């Protein structure tokens, strides 16, 4: 598992860890049941505080991506991918609702809105 954090980034270190671990789980690089590094070893390898890694692992556990077993460590959860996709769908729906409201207030047709979404989605 490879994680890179930067003190110069606008996001807190724990959020950088969380997003990278989530991405590795979603891509299949980290598989269900796979063991994550211990909090101490990850903190040491990243040269950051143990508390920062603990916070990242806490967030991952709250979000359903990892499970912690006392004395055995942290593992990738079996239910993470469906859970994450549902979470992302809800987030996208919120953005779409905001865009639809703005489009309606501005008199932008559904066809124009779909064309704009298609154009933005297909952009590199």
């Amino acid at each position: 598992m490879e994680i890179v954090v930067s003190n110069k980034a606008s996001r807190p270190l724990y959020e950088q860890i969380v997003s990278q671990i989530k991405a590795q789980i979603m891509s299949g690089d980290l598989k269900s049941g796979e063991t994550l590094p211990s909090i101490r070893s990850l903190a040491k390898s990243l040269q950051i505080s143990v508390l920062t890694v603990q916070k990242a692992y806490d967030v991952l556990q709250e979000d359903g991506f990892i499970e912690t077993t006392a004395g055995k460590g942290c593992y990738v959860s079996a239910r993470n991918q469906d859970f994450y996709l549902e979470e992302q769908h809800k987030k996208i729906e919120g953005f779409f609702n905001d865009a639809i409201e703005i489009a309606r207030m501005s008199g932008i047709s559904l066809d124009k809105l779909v064309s704009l979404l298609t154009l933005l989605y297909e952009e590199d």
Side-chain angles (χ1 to χ4, degrees), residues 5-16:
V5 294
S6 171
N7 287 325
K8 296 178 182 177
S10 61
R11 294 173 54 198
L13 294 173
Y14 82 93
E15 285 183 6
Q16 294 176 48

Side-chain angles (χ1 to χ4, degrees), residues 76-88:
V76 176
S77 174
R79 65 185 181 106
N80 54 55
Q81 190 166 17
D82 291 339
F83 185 80
Y84 181 74
L85 289 175
E86 181 62 28
E87 181 182 292
Q88 295 304 96

Side-chain angles (χ1 to χ4, degrees), residues 12-97:
L13 294 173
Y14 82 93
E15 285 183 6
Q16 294 176 48
I17 295 168
V18 168
S19 65
Q20 289 179 54
I21 291 176
K22 281 183 178 181
Q24 290 181 37
I25 291 170
M26 293 307 299
S27 70
D29 292 339
L30 287 174
K31 306 213 180 314
S32 176
E34 193 169 334
T35 305
L36 296 179
S38 72
I39 292 170
R40 289 180 195 262
S41 67
L42 185 57
K44 185 177 180 181
S45 70
L46 296 175
Q47 299 179 342
I48 60 175
S49 166
V50 171
L51 296 174
T52 301
V53 177
Q54 177 68 54
K55 186 170 184 177
Y57 278 23
D58 288 346
V59 170
L60 288 164
Q61 186 167 344
E62 288 172 19
D63 289 350
F65 281 87
I66 66 171
E67 298 171 4
T68 303
T69 304
K72 292 187 178 183
C74 298
Y75 301 87
V76 176
S77 174
R79 65 185 181 106
N80 54 55
Q81 190 166 17
D82 291 339
F83 185 80
Y84 181 74
L85 289 175
E86 181 62 28
E87 181 182 292
Q88 295 304 96
H89 284 163
K90 287 180 187 176
K91 205 180 288 186
I92 291 168
E93 283 178 22
F95 288 124
F96 280 168
N97 284 331

Side-chain angles (χ1 to χ4, degrees), residues 100-109:
I100 289 167
E101 184 177 330
I102 292 169
R104 285 181 177 153
M105 289 182 348
S106 303
I108 298 172
S109 70

